[in-house]
Amino acid sequence: MKEIKPGWIAAAVVGVIAVVFLLVRASETIAPKPVALWVAVQASDSAVAVAGPVHLPPGEAFRLHAVVEAETISGERVYYTEAEELELGGDRVPAAVLRRWNRSLEPRILWFTVDGSPPFRELTGDEKLREPNFKETFRSDWAQAWAVPGDLRPAVENYLPGADRVDRAPRFGTQRFHVRMEFFAEKGALVPEYRLKSWGAEALLEHSSEFPTVVASLDGSLAVPSRVFGLPQLEVSGDPPAAGLETLLADWTRRLLAFSRISVLAEWLRERGTSWEALEWSAIEIGASEAAVGPGDLLRVGNRIVFILEDRGDEGRLDYEDLCLDFDRGARVLPLGSVFTGEGLVDWAAAPAHR
């Protein structure tokens, strides 16, 4: 038997590796080319991940899915994702074009929330109101994976003046999401073959009705004030607002882009089908009144107005321990004792039934 020389074996191994490498490169050349990236939201009770706004009850869990849209050499579209079912642009994507990522390219995935920047801004009455500003905030505490558990908490929550530190459950508010992906030919490579970004801060104003968003609002008369949590607040001080400013704020509040104290109250009145003049106010004393105060009712002292949220003191009695939604320099959940201090009367208006 003829002896096989070690050099030949080495050459054969190198040849096999080269062939495999060429085959891999060839397969990537003809494989679908990534052209777009989307974020899809899947509620815990749904099999469908939606690339767009999703309304959930407060506290309901949800997952975020990265979706890579790719184009085949014949011009058809396929979608790489871990979602079993997908809705994109309001239409259900056929299951036949959904795929798990099984390519040789190595993906690296980074998740972001899209937050108001700054979270609170005060304007003078004659100052021109600029469009709300947003930024993408990297969530380093989230896994770099195709699907991650979602979270409503804004990245800036702990930096708002008097930030919400009350133990409250379930979580409510509005949050938007962004994802970035890079695809590398091999581990350790410094330059990616592709870079993709989903819609980000620059696209939010134009695509606010289609942007991947989770809105979790409370029921009834607490719906409006609860869903603005997580949005940037714009307040006007001093002189009366410039013409058109209140109209802009009202539009941004309805589109869940930004809010002010006045715009939240105005939207609340609009949804309740009533007016400020039609509200019936009574003077009551916190801790001593037997008035039938309930969630969604208003309390007022001067210009400070809050919405009653939850009974935390003596059951059925308005106490300083009860929680409210407050919008003084940021949307917060606070005990009444943190808003109204000392003895005295406050004005109370019951929330009107929705018309």
Side-chain angles (χ1 to χ4, degrees):
M1 185 175 181
K2 189 174 181 180
E3 181 181 357
I4 300 176
K5 295 183 178 181
W8 293 357
I9 296 175
V13 171
V14 170
V16 169
I17 293 175
V19 169
V20 170
F21 176 79
L22 291 173
L23 288 174
V24 169
R25 296 295 293 178
S27 67
E28 280 299 334
T29 300
I30 63 174
K33 179 182 178 181
V35 295
L37 183 59
W38 305 94
V39 174
V41 181
Q42 181 183 6
S44 61
D45 63 349
S46 175
V48 183
V50 178
V54 174
H55 291 257
L56 301 175
E60 180 170 337
F62 61 95
R63 291 183 68 77
L64 303 174
H65 291 270
V67 179
V68 173
E69 181 178 347
E71 185 177 14
T72 68
I73 57 175
S74 62
E76 298 175 339
R77 296 298 169 108
V78 297
Y79 300 87
Y80 294 98
T81 181
E82 291 188 354
E84 299 292 337
E85 300 180 47
L86 177 65
E87 182 180 302
L88 181 62
D91 298 321
R92 187 68 64 89
V93 176
V97 298
L98 294 181
R99 302 181 181 180
R100 294 292 183 98
W101 187 258
N102 57 359
R103 307 265 293 274
S104 61
L105 295 177
E106 182 76 17
R108 298 179 188 175
I109 306 170
L110 301 176
W111 287 99
F112 299 76
T113 51
V114 182
D115 299 295
S117 178
F120 176 84
R121 182 154 55 97
E122 193 166 21
L123 313 167
T124 59
D126 59 353
E127 183 177 348
K128 183 179 179 181
L129 183 60
R130 303 187 305 272
E131 292 180 332
N133 187 55
F134 294 89
K135 68 175 182 178
E136 296 134 19
T137 306
F138 175 52
R139 305 309 294 257
S140 59
D141 53 329
W142 293 7
Q144 297 184 21
W146 282 86
V148 296
D151 194 334
L152 283 176
R153 287 175 296 182
V156 298
E157 183 174 74
N158 291 332
Y159 301 99
L160 284 170
D164 169 10
R165 302 184 187 281
V166 174
D167 178 21
R168 63 180 173 96
R171 172 70 60 162
F172 49 80
T174 298
Q175 186 56 278
R176 294 177 168 96
F177 304 96
H178 168 73
V179 67
R180 300 177 191 176
M181 295 183 71
E182 294 180 334
F183 300 87
F184 294 84
E186 56 187 24
K187 290 184 177 180
L190 297 179
V191 180
E193 299 291 311
Y194 302 103
R195 286 190 176 98
L196 292 176
K197 296 170 58 177
S198 69
W199 281 343
E202 79 292 340
L204 177 52
L205 294 176
E206 181 181 356
H207 298 284
S208 61
S209 63
E210 311 156 275
F211 206 92
T213 306
V214 171
V215 181
S217 57
L218 297 168
D219 293 331
S221 60
L222 286 169
V224 169
S226 64
R227 63 181 175 237
V228 303
F229 273 66
L231 300 180
Q233 182 176 1
L234 305 174
E235 290 295 341
V236 180
S237 63
D239 297 332
L245 189 148
E246 290 184 356
T247 302
L248 275 175
L249 278 170
D251 177 62
W252 292 340
T253 300
R254 291 188 191 123
R255 293 168 60 193
L256 295 179
L257 294 172
F259 73 94
S260 71
R261 293 190 300 269
I262 296 300
S263 70
V264 168
L265 184 59
E267 181 66 7
W268 181 81
L269 291 167
R270 188 187 70 85
E271 284 210 356
R272 305 315 294 173
T274 189
S275 66
W276 177 257
E277 293 75 17
L279 294 177
E280 298 180 1
W281 295 92
S282 302
I284 63 174
E285 185 176 356
I286 298 176
S289 176
E290 298 298 331
V293 179
D297 289 356
L298 299 180
L299 293 181
R300 179 186 67 177
V301 172
N303 293 327
R304 191 75 173 269
I305 300 174
V306 302
F307 295 83
I308 298 298
L309 173 63
E310 185 180 331
D311 188 350
R312 284 287 184 95
D314 292 339
E315 185 175 355
R317 187 188 188 95
L318 186 67
D319 300 294
Y320 285 106
E321 293 80 11
D322 295 344
L323 299 183
C324 67
L325 304 185
D326 179 56
F327 300 96
D328 183 57
R329 300 185 65 83
R332 297 164 297 165
V333 174
L334 295 174
L336 289 178
S338 296
V339 179
F340 306 117
T341 59
E343 299 179 355
L345 300 177
V346 299
D347 292 325
W348 160 63
H354 182 66
R355 297 177 185 175

